[in-house]
Amino acid sequence: MAKKHILIFSPNAITSQFFERALPDPSAYKVESASTLAELENTLKKRQADLLVVDESSSSKQGNSADVFFGQLADLIDRNPETPVILLTSTPTKDKLNKAIHIGVIACLEVPLQASALISAVEGAIQRGHRLREWARLESRRSTKSLQQRIDDLEALQIVSRSITASLELDKVLTAVVDAAVELTGAEEGSLLLLEEGSNNLYMRAARNFGDDFVRTFRLPVEDTLPGQVLQSGKPVIIDEKTPKKIKTAYLVRSIMYVPLIIQGRAIGLLGVDNRQSVQTFSEYHLKLVSTLADYAAIAIENARLYASSSAERKKLETILTQIADGVIVLDHEDRLVMINQSARKAFNVEEEQPLGKPIQQVVKHSDLIEILSQDNTHPSRSEIVLEDGRVLYTQTSPIPEVGMVATMQDITRLKELDRIKSDFVSTVSHDLRSPLTAILGYIDLMERVGPVNDKQKEFLHRIDTSVQNITTLINDLLDLGRIEAGFDIRKEYVSLAILVEHALESLKEQARKKKLSLTHSVEADLPQVYGIPSQLRQMLSNLFHNAMKYTPAGGYIHIQVGRENEQIILRVEDDGQGIPIAEQPHIYDKFYRASNVSIDIPGTGLGLAIVKSVVDNHKGRIWLDSKPGRGSKFTVVLPLDSPSREQISTK
Ligand code: ADP
């Protein structure tokens, strides 16, 4: 057996010698002494003593008062709570003994020491110290155990909380919540009750250790029942056999705990645990754990509700998109299909069952659509697509932030047909009008020749002449447009756009000089020829150049540029004239459209750009405009350098 270590703090070496001699079995003890406080502290640091004997004279020798001595002693005892302390004093006054007991001294021995008193005090103190240490050991084991239990509980809670965020399956989450409630409280049964929609009854949404039939058929009215009371008050209850309360549940229990499930301040159900056999009761600690679980369950139910309502909304939206007559195609940023509705599927013969997520080129074979969808779609754009069956789809693409882009397609075949009928009608009427107008112009010319006319009559004749000229221009434009749209002029050949530009500018030079416009141009050398319809291309250039002249005030500049980029010819007509209001720019190719900033003094029919657009379309080209009001306009025309074999001559 290990020797008992007795540490004696005394200025007197005789004290420790007396101890050694007096103790009945010296081999069972190791007596050590310290004559100063520092020496004592040092020894204690090295090894814990089984008994500390403090001689009061050690302090008085140092010149300390009794108060200082007791202060130091109290401090020593505080720092070594498991070591019993015996005080040696030559003056055991009542006051001193009281003080010593107050600060935790176990026994006092009077000096000179008596061997018998010393032995019994030492043995008693050592035993006491032993018991103290044993108690401390057990206590620390107990608290470590309860700490571990709490850590386990927290871990269990964390697992449930993780399952809530990871799973949208409400059944799974609620079952996990009830399981955890039963595990953490050590209860026999657990249940999660929710209010049944449309009635005032509670039903069991999840349960542990209840029979399936019982769970299925369980219905408990809210009125006059314990769960109902918790639901209405929103406050939890713990009830056991000691609680004088009549428990009204659907079954007999010894103890039960119900915690409300609260969503937005309203209780929607309860989480309960109970014991039918066990006498174990529920504590406040259990209540805290189950309340946390009830919060988890409430969050899960709310999440599920929100998810259900958002997915119902999504389904509704999907149904609408699927059923509408317009085609809708949504692509992501990598041109992969995100959505295609029924109408678009039909239009582009998409038979694939699961086309979503695939690149659009794999799903749709229509080259025009693929080209439109693979263009830079950071800006909205519009175009027309002709389907194999002759139908025409007006297609608009728009970027959708964080998704990609959407293309909507409207069937405008009927409108196109009406447009054609209207154009035919206009052409016929225009044609028939042209002869009488020519006659009128002829007679105006003759009027002055057949006899004298006065100044007033001359002015009137001039006005008639101008008006008839305007009508003739309009009719000519209408006829040109009708012809181009009808596709009468289908003879294509290789044309040098550079030469056409030079010719067109030649005829404008005089006009530009008169208006004091700076008219410049740059044509790239060795431009390849365009395969196209010369008359139409000539008209396109003439209309663009005339517009630039018309809408640029005196002193302005016009610059024309023709060049090649990849497999296309690029024509740019730029002026620093009045520009076009941004909001009106999408309409300028419409027939008869004139922008709101055009003065009535500037003649025009609103057909020039419609003709240009038709010519560009007939040559499978593109046209766009960059313009700011008051800052000029720039029209850019791109014509592809297609080989004749690939060229599809429009016969519209
Ligand atoms: P118009 O016979 O009126 O010139 P167009 O079809 O040629 O008809 O042009 C349509 C409209 O576009 C014009 O009325 C004018 O408002 C605008 N526009 C065309 N070209 C220009 C330009 N270079 N500068 C400013 N506005 C222009």
Side-chain angles (χ1 to χ4, degrees), residues 550-551 578-579 581 594-605:
K550 267 198 297 188
Y551 300 112
Q578 63 188 59
R594 305 200 75 198
S596 57
N597 63 339
V598 170
S599 143
I600 44 163
D601 301 337
I602 303 178
T605 59

Side-chain angles (χ1 to χ4, degrees), residues 60-131:
S60 51
K61 214 147 185 206
Q62 307 261 315
N64 290 338
S65 66
D67 280 349
V68 172
F69 168 71
F70 277 105
Q72 285 175 342
L73 188 58
D75 191 37
L76 199 64
I77 293 172
D78 277 354
R79 279 185 284 122
N80 301 279
E82 290 173 24
T83 310
V85 176
I86 293 177
L87 176 67
L88 307 183
T89 175
S90 52
T91 49
T93 60
K94 202 173 159 200
D95 184 39
K96 204 178 274 179
L97 294 181
N98 272 345
K99 242 187 214 163
I101 287 167
H102 183 71
I103 61 172
V105 168
I106 276 182
C108 285
L109 291 176
E110 192 176 350
V111 181
L113 294 166
Q114 300 275 317
S116 59
L118 181 143
I119 292 167
S120 81
V122 166
E123 280 176 351
I126 285 181
Q127 260 176 32
R128 177 88 186 274
H130 179 72
R131 281 203 302 274

Side-chain angles (χ1 to χ4, degrees), residues 511-565:
Q511 219 176 314
R513 200 186 52 76
K514 275 194 194 151
K515 207 176 169 185
K516 295 195 173 52
L517 292 171
S518 132
L519 180 60
T520 57
H521 70 287
S522 65
V523 177
E524 201 179 296
D526 301 328
L527 269 188
Q529 293 187 323
V530 176
Y531 190 68
I533 306 159
S535 59
Q536 289 190 6
L537 291 173
R538 221 174 283 126
Q539 185 143 22
M540 173 190 87
L541 294 175
S542 163
N543 288 4
L544 288 173
F545 297 172
H546 271 105
N547 277 351
M549 305 265 294
K550 267 198 297 188
Y551 300 112
T552 304
Y557 82 82
I558 296 164
H559 181 66
I560 286 129
Q561 194 194 343
V562 192
R564 175 190 185 159
E565 274 173 33

Side-chain angles (χ1 to χ4, degrees), residues 161-200:
S161 97
R162 237 179 284 142
S163 85
I164 289 176
T165 39
S167 167
L168 276 169
E169 288 172 53
L170 192 57
D171 282 343
K172 231 176 171 178
V173 176
L174 296 185
T175 307
V177 164
V178 176
D179 282 350
V182 168
E183 301 287 336
L184 292 176
T185 56
E188 289 168 2
E189 295 169 332
S191 59
L192 196 137
L193 310 181
L194 291 183
L195 254 185
E196 201 173 35
E197 230 170 89
S199 86
N200 228 6

Side-chain angles (χ1 to χ4, degrees), residues 477 543-544 547-552 573 575 577-581 584 587-590 592-598 602-612 625 627 632-635:
D477 278 356
N543 288 4
L544 288 173
N547 277 351
M549 305 265 294
K550 267 198 297 188
Y551 300 112
T552 304
V573 183
D575 63 58
Q578 63 188 59
I580 301 168
E584 298 182 43
H587 306 293
I588 52 163
Y589 307 104
D590 295 351
F592 303 108
Y593 191 87
R594 305 200 75 198
S596 57
N597 63 339
V598 170
I602 303 178
T605 59
L607 288 172
L609 287 181
I611 293 173
V612 170
L625 161 74
S627 174
S633 312
K634 182 163 87 177
F635 283 90

